[in-house]
Amino acid sequence: MRAGSYDGRAFGAMLAARKLIAEEHWRIAGEVARKDGLTELKALVDLGTISEETLADALAEHLGRPRWKPDADDAATLVLSESVPVEFMRSSGVLVLEEPMPFAPDQAGDAGPRAGARAARLVVADPSDHHQWNALLRRFPPAAGHTLAIGTHKDITRFIDERAGDGRQSGGGAAGGAGGTAAEAIDVSGELSQLRDLASTAPVIRFFHQMAERAMDLNASDIHLERFDRRVSLRFRVDGVLIDQPAPPVKQYEALLCLIKIRASLDIAERRRAQDGRIQQRLRGRAIDMRVSILPTMYGQDAAIRLQDRQRLGSITLPDLGFAPPQVTALQAVANKSHGILLITGPTGSGKTTTLYALLRSLASSELKVVTVEDPVEYAMDGINQVQVNPAINLSFSNTLRHILRHDPDVILVGEIRDHETAEMAFQAALTGHMVLSTLHTNDVPGSFVRLIDMGVQPYLVNAAVEGISAQRLMRRLCTGCGNRPDSREGCRACGGLGYRGRVAVMEFAAMNPAVKRAILEGADERGIRAALGASGFVTLREEARRLVAQGITDDAEVVRSLGESDAEDGA
């Protein structure tokens, strides 16, 4: 059969001429495809403009290829090809089937049947993916007896699930001897296939995009989807505070979760273990990283999505964060040293990673070799060698650090010091002529010294290697529209009635000094180290927060929310 190749402009014109879509729909699909990294046909279906079946019918006619359906008369005789991995077929929307080849040349050159010879029947859902289409044609050329057909992604996935799930590779009877295993596999694969179908419907896709865009509009840092006994919850973390949002319908929740898993390249069949993944997407013209975490709970699975604007993260500097100029100067002075350890500390969500990236950006130059080991790599930076840890292959922080030292870097960034082994390697690097930047999960500077010793670092090593420690928090800024005044906060469009808009960083910083070294060697506790720091003019987080209150940037209520009530130990 003579068949043509896919021509997007001609196909779009054909759809519009037959009134299957409007011309405007084709243009919008093209814009969405460019923005989200999709093909125009995938965008067309995702937008709900045309059904998969109608699109496949039109594609078959446009290309002069047969239209394949899983209930065809010869479907029972077809088997999945073993030459192509099943997972590739499932993820790519391609089906490679095998059928008996009726005739093949024999050694004498005559045409005759050749027993056992097989030709491939290729079924493709999206021929607009030219790289995939051309690769398939090269691998399975029609001249060799292979045939090509057009199907829907839904039919292809269901066929793969049924055939790969029940073990039927030649119409044989592998289904009987496992004591119900095959029946269970069919049930599970059927459920997964149904979930995939629901996840690809326009309402689910539309809700996902609207949810993400609403979160970006509010400058949310996280999206939380949660399943409870008789309801589901959707909340955004905006400026560090969770805010309720209109939740998806209960019957749509599993399909939405499935869509998130598919886009994050996670296993949709896994419901008992936690999973982590990443989605990269363009929203409103901005490149957004979505770090996805799936957690099994009593009533199902919850999803937490961390949102990061790559462009913003790639341009932010230390002064942009709101630190006091003397603190920025002191922090950069320590980071510019030839060796030692600089620690950025604080609880989760306090902006430690952003501060580290801003420091790295100030250090990056052609004269320095900078290597990072992170979990995960938050943002790719030009001129910096970044390593993603992978515990599955024993590529841990400590193991990676050991190898990094052989590359003789000037600056090493360790995403987090979590255990004694990582701490030991970081201190070894600092004592052998490298500047080490890292983070620690502690609440303040005095507690960080104690934490290092509790992790097994000897006090004399802390004194020898640590050059400086900072602790930080993110506090909400007062809304410039209403100032969080009760009489004007209600109905304020700038902050949505919250009274705050945006956040500012507040920091306490201490460079190592003789008084602190003496206290550490004497085995002082956190209170003793705090006293030693205070004697050298140490400015605490609470004192810095009061400066922001005096300047009208934040208020006392936000200080209490971020730092807790004042007590004698924090210098209040």
Side-chain angles (χ1 to χ4, degrees):
M1 173 181 291
R2 182 175 179 80
S5 59
Y6 175 81
D7 182 336
R9 183 174 299 179
F11 184 62
M14 186 189 93
L15 292 178
R18 298 192 177 184
K19 302 192 182 305
L20 297 175
I21 63 169
E23 291 184 7
E24 182 71 6
H25 292 156
W26 183 257
R27 185 186 64 78
I28 293 173
E31 292 177 358
V32 170
R34 286 189 294 274
K35 182 177 71 172
D36 292 351
L38 307 173
T39 66
E40 53 202 8
L41 299 185
K42 180 73 166 61
L44 206 60
V45 174
D46 284 357
L47 291 168
T49 305
I50 191 171
S51 70
E52 276 196 85
E53 289 75 14
T54 303
L55 183 66
D57 291 341
L59 276 171
E61 182 177 346
H62 170 66
L63 297 170
R65 305 281 182 181
R67 172 75 162 89
W68 180 86
K69 294 184 179 180
D71 56 357
D73 293 339
D74 61 349
T77 66
L78 300 175
V79 295
L80 292 176
S81 173
E82 296 181 358
S83 63
V84 179
V86 169
E87 284 308 315
F88 171 80
M89 289 192 275
R90 180 181 285 116
S91 62
S92 304
V94 173
L95 197 58
V96 183
L97 305 171
E98 290 181 349
E99 55 186 340
M101 183 177 288
F103 296 99
D106 59 16
Q107 293 181 351
D110 298 328
R114 188 173 64 192
R118 290 183 180 273
R121 176 179 295 186
L122 275 67
V123 182
V124 180
D126 190 349
S128 66
D129 186 338
H130 293 291
H131 293 293
Q132 176 180 283
W133 179 259
N134 291 332
L136 288 170
L137 288 178
R138 286 194 299 270
R139 175 69 177 80
F140 301 99
H146 308 298
T147 59
L148 292 99
I150 302 297
T152 66
H153 204 293
K154 179 171 60 178
D155 287 341
I156 289 171
T157 302
R158 181 181 293 119
F159 190 90
I160 292 172
D161 287 339
E162 290 174 354
R163 292 304 174 93
D166 65 7
R168 286 184 295 153
Q169 277 300 294
S170 58
T181 303
E184 291 171 4
I186 294 172
D187 290 341
V188 171
S189 66
E191 183 181 356
L192 294 180
S193 180
Q194 183 180 18
L195 263 182
R196 283 196 188 93
D197 292 347
L198 290 172
S200 65
T201 59
V204 175
I205 294 168
R206 191 180 303 116
F207 186 92
F208 174 81
H209 283 286
Q210 290 173 347
M211 175 182 72
E213 289 177 354
R214 172 67 173 161
M216 292 303 300
D217 290 342
L218 294 175
N219 287 324
S221 60
D222 300 88
I223 297 172
H224 293 270
L225 273 165
E226 298 158 313
R227 184 75 166 91
F228 298 103
D229 187 13
R230 298 178 181 176
R231 65 182 182 90
V232 298
S233 168
L234 173 62
R235 295 186 290 176
F236 295 164
R237 190 174 292 279
V238 179
D239 296 334
V241 178
L242 285 172
I243 300 174
D244 284 318
Q245 296 293 311
V250 174
K251 64 181 181 181
Q252 200 180 77
Y253 181 80
E254 290 297 330
L256 180 61
L257 203 65
C258 182
L259 174 64
I260 292 170
K261 285 184 174 183
I262 290 172
R263 295 200 171 187
S265 300
L266 300 178
D267 183 359
I268 68 170
E270 180 56 69
R271 300 178 180 179
R272 299 172 298 172
R273 292 188 299 180
Q275 298 186 79
D276 294 324
R278 173 176 286 187
I279 301 173
Q280 295 184 337
Q281 189 164 336
R282 293 193 67 84
L283 291 172
R284 306 279 172 85
R286 296 152 66 185
I288 304 300
D289 270 348
M290 300 182 181
R291 283 169 48 192
V292 177
S293 177
I294 304 295
L295 183 69
T297 63
M298 181 181 295
Y299 298 109
Q301 299 173 91
D302 290 356
I305 304 174
R306 169 67 57 88
L307 302 173
Q308 290 180 326
D309 187 333
R310 279 185 281 169
Q311 184 175 357
R312 180 176 177 276
L313 191 60
S315 61
I316 201 164
T317 62
L318 284 174
D320 294 335
L321 299 176
F323 296 133
Q327 292 177 327
V328 172
T329 301
L331 198 64
Q332 287 182 321
V334 171
N336 284 323
K337 290 190 174 186
S338 61
H339 62 275
I341 289 181
L342 172 59
L343 293 175
I344 310 295
T345 72
T348 301
S350 58
K352 300 186 296 296
T353 299
T354 304
T355 301
L356 277 180
Y357 273 114
L359 268 174
L360 275 186
R361 190 166 294 102
S362 68
L363 294 173
S365 73
S366 59
E367 299 174 354
L368 295 176
K369 182 177 179 66
V370 182
V371 183
T372 76
V373 50
E374 306 172 64
D375 183 22
V377 172
E378 306 277 2
Y379 172 75
M381 300 181 68
D382 185 52
I384 293 177
N385 303 285
Q386 295 171 275
V387 181
Q388 164 81 53
V389 303
N390 186 352
I393 58 173
N394 201 29
L395 190 66
S396 62
F397 280 111
S398 55
N399 285 341
T400 306
L401 263 176
R402 191 172 289 110
H403 292 283
I404 284 175
L405 292 178
R406 298 170 186 164
H407 289 247
D408 191 27
D410 298 289
V411 180
I412 302 171
L413 183 148
V414 182
E416 181 185 347
I417 295 179
R418 298 176 177 176
D419 50 40
H420 170 73
E421 191 177 6
T422 304
E424 186 177 47
M425 289 302 305
F427 274 76
Q428 179 184 333
L431 292 172
T432 53
H434 308 278
M435 189 65 211
V436 178
L437 312 178
S438 190
T439 68
L440 203 61
H441 279 275
T442 54
N443 289 324
D444 53 26
V445 169
S448 301
F449 288 106
V450 175
R451 172 72 176 134
L452 287 172
I453 296 171
D454 288 344
M455 291 174 71
V457 181
Q458 294 298 320
Y460 73 89
L461 289 177
V462 174
N463 285 349
V466 174
E467 294 292 339
I469 299 179
S470 74
Q472 67 182 61
R473 298 290 191 281
L474 293 176
M475 293 186 176
R476 292 182 294 175
R477 292 177 179 268
L478 289 174
C479 172
T480 55
C482 67
N484 199 24
R485 296 182 298 272
D487 58 334
S488 55
R489 181 175 59 209
E490 189 72 25
C492 177
R493 292 187 177 183
C495 65
L498 298 175
Y500 303 91
R501 179 71 173 176
R503 289 192 287 181
V504 60
V506 59
M507 176 205 294
E508 63 181 27
F509 176 78
M512 183 61 86
N513 62 62
V516 175
K517 289 184 177 181
R518 186 163 50 252
I520 290 173
L521 286 177
E522 292 173 353
D525 59 8
E526 188 172 332
R527 187 184 299 241
I529 294 175
R530 188 184 300 277
L533 286 168
S536 59
F538 176 63
V539 180
T540 67
L541 278 170
R542 195 173 298 277
E543 289 168 339
E544 275 298 304
R546 286 173 180 158
R547 175 182 65 83
L548 297 180
V549 173
Q551 294 176 353
I553 296 174
T554 188
D555 58 12
D556 290 322
E558 178 61 12
V559 173
V560 172
R561 187 194 71 84
S562 301
L563 300 177
E565 295 288 348
S566 173
D567 57 38
E569 283 196 1
D570 61 18

